[in-house]
Amino acid sequence: MSEVVIDRVHKSFGAVEVLKGVSITVERGEVTALIGRSGSGKSTLLRCVNGLEKISSGTIEIAGHKVGEDKASLRKLRRDVGIVFQSYNLFPHLSVGQNIMLAPRIVKGVAKPDTRAIAEEVLALVGLSEKFDAYPDELSGGQQQRVAIARSLAMRPKVMLFDEVTSALDPELTGEVLAVMEKLARDGMTMLLVTHEMGFARRVANTTVFMHQGRIHEAGPSRTLFENPQTPELAQFVRSDIK
Ligand SMILES: Nc1ncnc2c1ncn2[C@@H]1O[C@H](COP(=O)(O)OP(=O)(O)OP(=O)(O)O)[C@@H](O)[C@H]1O
Ligand SMILES: [Mg+2]
């Protein structure tokens, strides 16, 4: 069953067309990685998928919701779709536990004792059980990003979107965040993620999509794509990453 269906999506900012007819399907329990040069449209696509940007034409369906309808359906969509960005955006004046308990309580109306149990569970999942009462500024960047992921998971999403979640981190902290995402993938989470971590994409993503100038230039099973690029653009992109 398809959990994400992006069909012939076009997106323009003013006169500039940034997405030029993009179609991607992600099956339930599968991971798709978006790669490509800066400015190729990866973040824009992810934001369209979550309804943060309005598409110019085409259709997007995610977790059974059609994107781009009224505000009420967008709210429903956001309950089922988690998104994590490069910046963690934790509330600095709230503890880790409070940061995580907030959305289930406010958005879903979950009772406080239950949100606490959920927070403990998702914190354990990202390996930070002992940080429940810590404040964000007492954590490393990698730990803060893992809390941001836990906060998203507390909403029990059906699909997770990740946009370069390790890009702001020192290399030694990147691995711990990628390990959390890999575990999520193993546990069957449907994921669409933008990454510069080619090794991660190759190992964890079922499918990798190479975007170039607003189009899908090449896509396929990750291993095949990285080992045997069919276009000079992808070949160069993969080469330049190895360095
Ligand atoms: N809100 C906006 N208004 C106008 N142009 C935008 C807006 N957001 C993105 N763009 C343009 O759309 C193009 C694609 O940007 P996008 O952020 O999707 O690229 P990206 O592939 O995520 O790049 P990076 O790897 O640097 O994150 C760029 O040319 C960018 O300048
Ligand atoms: Mg981007």
Side-chain angles (χ1 to χ4, degrees), residues 39-162:
S40 56
K42 307 178 298 292
S43 294
T44 303
L45 181 61
L46 222 57
R47 292 170 60 79
C48 288
V49 167
N50 198 37
L52 289 167
E53 294 283 359
K54 204 171 168 326
I55 58 179
S56 309
S57 68
T59 58
I60 300 176
E61 262 185 67
I62 183 162
H65 304 280
K66 209 164 176 303
V67 182
E69 291 173 351
D70 53 301
K71 281 226 169 85
S73 55
L74 203 57
R75 268 200 298 277
K76 278 194 205 143
L77 179 154
R78 297 249 170 85
R79 287 172 171 220
D80 287 337
V81 182
I83 187 161
V84 182
F85 301 97
Q86 185 177 320
S87 53
Y88 342 113
N89 300 321
L90 299 174
F91 292 111
H93 59 292
L94 296 180
S95 71
V96 163
Q98 289 167 331
N99 262 284
I100 296 172
M101 293 190 292
L102 203 59
R105 188 145 87 234
I106 290 174
V107 180
K108 283 190 163 175
V110 179
K112 195 168 178 192
D114 297 335
T115 60
R116 183 163 185 109
I118 294 170
E120 283 169 357
E121 179 201 319
V122 293
L123 264 183
L125 205 80
V126 301
L128 291 173
S129 293
E130 76 287 2
K131 298 295 184 188
F132 195 95
D133 294 314
Y135 281 81
D137 67 3
E138 298 169 333
L139 305 180
S140 73
Q143 290 172 334
Q144 289 187 52
Q145 189 57 292
R146 282 148 66 199
V147 171
I149 293 172
R151 179 177 58 176
S152 210
L153 293 175
M155 292 293 286
R156 310 275 193 224
K158 293 180 178 149
V159 181
M160 284 293 295
L161 309 172
F162 295 93

